Amino acid sequence: QVQLVQSGAEVKKPGASVKVSCKPSDYFFTTYLIHWVRQAPGQGLEWMGAINPSGGATVYPQKFQGRVTVTRDTSTSTVYMELSSLISDDTAVYYCAREYGATNYFDYWGQGTLVTVSS
Amino acid sequence: QSALTQPHSVSGSPGQSVTISCTGTSSDVGGYNYVSWYQEHPGKAPKLMIYDVSRRPSGVPDRFSGSKSGNTASLTISGLQAEDEADYFCCSYAGSPYVFGTGTKVTVL
């Protein structure tokens, strides 16, 4: 059964960085793109960027360019999302989700990682 | 890129039909046939319900259907069941970024 297993909840201070991991299982790691999406409390979903695990190419929306870095470690079949210069508005549940090729939809999602930014 | 507009909430009795709209622009919903819909129960990961405007993944009941007209996509749940009570989000490809809807809470009365 396909699973995307994410790392546990984090509490960070404003100005710090957070790195969330996503480890897919039960499929060939480089076959699917991995996207990151967040949901702030009481808010909708927001796309943060994506990586092609095969070659490492990434894409980010303008809002997050320079502040979000998505990487992958092929030796451990793990994808990472690092968000820097945290502010309180970054408090949210962060999800990874997979996309097959250029199909433009997300067929499986991780369980979510709560990141709380608080002084 | 602004979020797609969805009604805050819709409700219906068991067995009834409800429709959720998702309004964007010609740069997203109207420009591509890449609208998807996700169901989200509290504390659980989102689940894909519809992709490519109207296609259903394997395992999704056929009471869920999708359509699009112009800049507005719609998700219809026919024969509403108690387990359909959840939040629903639309999503559209917009030429590199993806834009999500504001979310709709479906309540089964």
Side-chain angles (χ1 to χ4, degrees), chain A:
Chain A
Q1 180 179 337
V2 173
Q3 290 190 73
L4 280 69
V5 180
Q6 299 183 222
S7 49
E10 303 259 15
V11 179
K12 295 292 183 180
K13 293 192 181 303
S17 296
V18 68
K19 194 169 187 178
V20 181
S21 68
C22 171
K23 185 173 174 61
S25 65
D26 209 39
Y27 70 89
F28 195 59
F29 176 63
T30 57
T31 305
Y32 291 82
L33 306 179
I34 295 293
H35 295 255
W36 288 90
V37 177
R38 75 177 183 180
Q39 186 172 34
Q43 303 297 312
L45 298 166
E46 184 174 34
W47 183 70
M48 300 180 67
I51 189 168
N52 183 339
S54 176
T58 54
V59 60
Y60 307 107
Q62 191 170 8
K63 174 178 179 176
F64 290 107
Q65 281 184 0
R67 209 161 70 92
V68 169
T69 305
V70 180
T71 56
R72 95 290 193 213
D73 183 339
T74 54
S75 67
T76 60
S77 299
T78 303
V79 173
Y80 299 91
M81 185 283 299
E82 184 169 22
L83 182 63
S84 61
S85 303
L86 291 169
I87 61 175
S88 58
D89 285 353
D90 292 321
T91 294
V93 176
Y94 290 76
Y95 293 102
C96 61
R98 77 171 199 179
E99 174 198 1
Y100 179 68
T103 51
N104 298 309
Y105 60 86
F106 315 116
D107 61 350
Y108 282 94
W109 297 61
Q111 84 276 19
T113 297
L114 175 62
V115 175
T116 303
V117 182
S118 173
S119 55

Side-chain angles (χ1 to χ4, degrees), chain B residues 1 16 23-24 29 33 39 47 57-58 60 67 75-76 90 103 107:
Chain B
Q1 203 82 25
Q16 289 187 328
T23 301
V29 175
N33 287 322
Q39 177 191 66
K47 177 185 176 183
S58 173
V60 172
S67 62
L75 174 72
T76 297
C90 59
T107 302

Side-chain angles (χ1 to χ4, degrees), chain A residues 39 47 95 104-106 110, chain B residues 34 38 40 45 51 89 96 98:
Chain A
Q39 186 172 34
W47 183 70
Y95 293 102
N104 298 309
Y105 60 86
F106 315 116
Chain B
Y34 293 130
Y38 302 88
E40 190 175 24
Y51 66 96
F89 291 90
S96 179
Y98 290 84

Side-chain angles (χ1 to χ4, degrees), chain B residues 30-54:
Chain B
Y32 304 91
N33 287 322
Y34 293 130
V35 176
S36 51
W37 289 89
Y38 302 88
Q39 177 191 66
E40 190 175 24
H41 286 109
K44 290 198 158 188
K47 177 185 176 183
L48 176 67
M49 305 302 286
I50 294 287
Y51 66 96
D52 292 355
V53 176
S54 60

